[in-house]
């Protein structure tokens, strides 16, 4: 049975063996958790590049450096790969595990070779462009938000200034106030 349907099967088994009935929202809630993977926003990205064959790679294990303490400096857990046809060299020291570093180094090498071979059509270039557009959109939204706040502040400050001036002018007696039945407006003297 496919992994996505296993929770459904256990839920249905629970329902048949138990006298308790589940409401439709509970069932829908469980189904939505089970199928959340395919419902995510789908972006059309190129497939991940495959690492080159082992015959084209020279592998060396090096002592690590940097943070991590004595253990990093004493063990040969860093992996360096050289792609023989192109001469491209990649080093990985992401973790303390040699096997994980081997996998990471091979993926890095595959990404670099893909970048060289396909240029702007490579996965890393497409992902980079996607991230750049998302960051630019976020920055534009932020600028718009702060511009609107500044305009509101300026508008509020302008209204306060006008109200303050009217009060001062009325105190100084510059405006003549007529009775409302006469139909005249406030006219400066």
């Amino acid at each position: 049975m496919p992994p996505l349907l296993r929770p459904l099967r256990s839920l249905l088994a629970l329902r048949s063996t138990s006298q308790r009935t589940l409401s439709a929202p509970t069932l829908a809630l469980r189904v939505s958790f089970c199928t959340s993977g395919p419902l995510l926003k789908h972006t059309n990205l190129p497939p991940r590049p495959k690492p080159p064959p082992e015959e084209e790679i020279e592998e060396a294990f090096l002592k690590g450096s940097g943070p991590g303490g004595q253990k990093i400096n004493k063990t040969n857990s860093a992996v360096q790969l050289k792609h023989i046809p192109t001469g491209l060299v990649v080093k990985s020291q992401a973790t303390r595990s040699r096997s994980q570093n081997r996998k990471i180094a091979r993926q890095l090498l595959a990404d670099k070779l893909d970048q060289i071979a396909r240029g702007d059509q490579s996965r890393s270039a497409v992902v980079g462009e996607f991230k750049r557009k998302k960051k630019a959109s976020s920055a534009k939204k932020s600028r718009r938000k702060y511009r609107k706040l500044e305009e509101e502040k300026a508008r509020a400050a302008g209204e306060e200034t006008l109200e303050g001036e009217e009060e001062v002018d009325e105190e100084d007696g510059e405006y003549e106030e007529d009775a409302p039945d006469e139909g005249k407006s406030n006219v400066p003297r």
Side-chain angles (χ1 to χ4, degrees):
M1 180 169 275
L4 289 176
L5 297 179
R6 284 185 191 141
L8 262 180
R9 186 179 73 178
S10 64
L11 182 66
L12 293 175
L14 171 73
R15 184 175 181 165
S16 64
T17 59
S18 170
Q19 297 300 323
R20 186 179 64 141
T21 59
L22 294 174
S23 63
T26 307
L27 182 62
L29 180 65
R30 292 198 185 219
V31 171
S32 68
F33 282 137
C34 296
T35 60
S36 63
L39 296 177
L40 295 176
K41 183 178 177 184
H42 179 68
T43 56
N44 293 329
L45 294 176
R48 291 188 187 275
K50 302 268 189 258
E54 291 295 321
E55 300 83 40
E56 296 181 1
I57 298 175
E58 280 184 16
E59 186 174 42
F61 301 104
L62 310 170
K63 286 189 169 45
S65 62
Q70 247 182 345
K71 181 70 174 172
I72 290 292
N73 301 329
K74 290 167 65 175
T75 58
N76 293 331
S77 60
V79 178
Q80 180 178 353
L81 298 180
K82 180 178 181 184
H83 188 241
I84 298 169
T86 60
L88 189 64
V89 177
V90 173
K91 182 180 176 185
S92 173
Q93 183 192 326
T95 67
R96 293 191 302 177
S97 167
R98 181 187 284 188
S99 61
Q100 287 179 357
N101 284 337
R102 290 181 77 204
K103 289 177 186 175
I104 293 168
R106 279 170 171 67
Q107 193 58 51
L108 286 173
L109 183 62
D111 289 342
K112 292 223 180 198
L113 290 173
D114 186 44
Q115 180 69 31
I116 291 171
R118 296 175 53 201
D120 290 342
Q121 301 301 317
S122 68
R123 182 179 175 93
S124 60
V126 171
V127 169
E129 182 66 19
F130 178 74
K131 288 181 179 178
R132 187 193 64 75
K133 284 182 180 179
K134 189 172 182 178
K135 186 175 180 181
S137 173
S138 173
K140 183 178 178 182
K141 184 177 177 182
S142 178
R143 283 193 306 269
R144 194 179 318 140
K145 172 186 166 185
Y146 286 110
R147 188 179 323 121
K148 185 177 177 183
L149 283 173
E150 288 296 321
E151 288 172 359
E152 288 176 3
K153 279 184 182 178
R155 194 175 309 123
E159 289 174 2
E160 289 175 7
T161 309
L162 289 176
E163 290 173 3
E165 288 176 0
E166 289 176 4
E167 291 174 6
V168 170
D169 291 340
E170 289 174 0
E171 289 175 4
D172 291 341
E174 291 183 12
Y175 285 97
E176 179 181 312
E177 293 188 27
D178 295 327
D181 349 22
E182 297 178 14
K184 296 181 183 176
S185 64
N186 293 340
V187 180
R189 289 185 193 175

